[in-house]
Amino acid sequence: MSAPLLEVQDLYKSYPVRGGLFSAKQGEVKAVAGVSLTLKKGETLGLVGESGCGKSTLGRTLMRLEAANSGRVLFEGADVLTADKHQLFALRRKIQMIFQDPYSSLNPRLTVGSIVREPLEVHKIGSREEQNARVRELFVAVGLKPEMIDRYPHEFSGGQRQRVGIARALALNPSLIVADEPVSALDVSVQAQVLNLLVELQKKLGLTYLFISHDLGVVEYLSDRIAIMYLGQIVEEGDRETLFREPKHPYTRALLDAMPIADPRRRRDRAPLQGEAPSPLNPPSGCTFHPRCPYATAACKTTIPVLEPVAGSTPDHRAACLRKNEI
């Protein structure tokens, strides 16, 4: 079996909370609390969870846009977190990111052609003529007209801006793209266009995606495997078909129950979540999901569940629930 393209091992990222007269540390928010995952070349891993669960922080930390507290992030065997500036500069060519907001992620003072050309200039790839040819090629690849390269971001719609962001991410021919909620700010019809573009580019270029989203419907369409995140931890993961057919964590079940059905004649027997998501500043003891879980027992309040295989399921289906084999 070939080694994974990306391997995250026990990654932690927390933020200090300060207050008082001398800004003393009063606690810490554990945004990413011991996450481990793998990503094979050419596949798409969907990372799903509620807002504030730490999924965007995970994406930024494994790219070293945020400094991790501990853990390892191995990309093609090299540890991203311990790479020096020269090694990290080389790794940047292979790992790129598509940001959530197509408005704030583009410099309004640069033309879109300059924005897409910038990675080529920073890495000193090609002559000016070759760079311009590459920019035109990328515009065609993402469904934009080459004559648009001299326009500014404010002259484009949200969907067009996100296509510019995708073109910029593709400029250096990366192996891995971290897509952080890339369609959440777009209209539904435009979302479909951008998702189809991502699928087409993956087939054509052999790309690998870590696709971050709060929308299970979008993730189901795009992903090969799915990881469910809650309060900074992965609580369930598995291939798309298994996870949607036989979810074994109550949080996954609740997310699936919340998905709308495009048929007024069909109804779900919903099991709505109780209460609000706990604060990551003061997470519950034991299983962090137990205050909202309809299956919780006394043991769930004191025992921290381990992410481990589900009996009788597929080999890569794992869940962190004390009652996973009963649900």
Side-chain angles (χ1 to χ4, degrees), residues 4 6 33 106 137 158 172 177 206 221 256 267 269 287 307:
L6 178 73
L106 302 180
E137 176 188 324
L172 299 173
I177 290 182
Y221 175 72
L256 290 171
R267 292 181 177 273
D269 294 327
C287 174
L307 187 66

Side-chain angles (χ1 to χ4, degrees), residues 241-286:
E241 290 78 11
T242 301
L243 193 137
F244 272 79
R245 185 181 66 252
E246 299 176 356
K248 290 299 182 180
H249 195 283
Y251 180 59
T252 308
R253 284 179 171 254
L255 292 178
L256 290 171
D257 283 344
M259 288 179 63
I261 301 176
D263 186 345
R265 294 168 297 181
R266 293 177 57 195
R267 292 181 177 273
R268 278 200 180 102
D269 294 327
R270 299 179 183 270
L273 290 178
Q274 302 296 319
E276 300 293 329
S279 168
L281 181 61
N282 185 28
S285 61

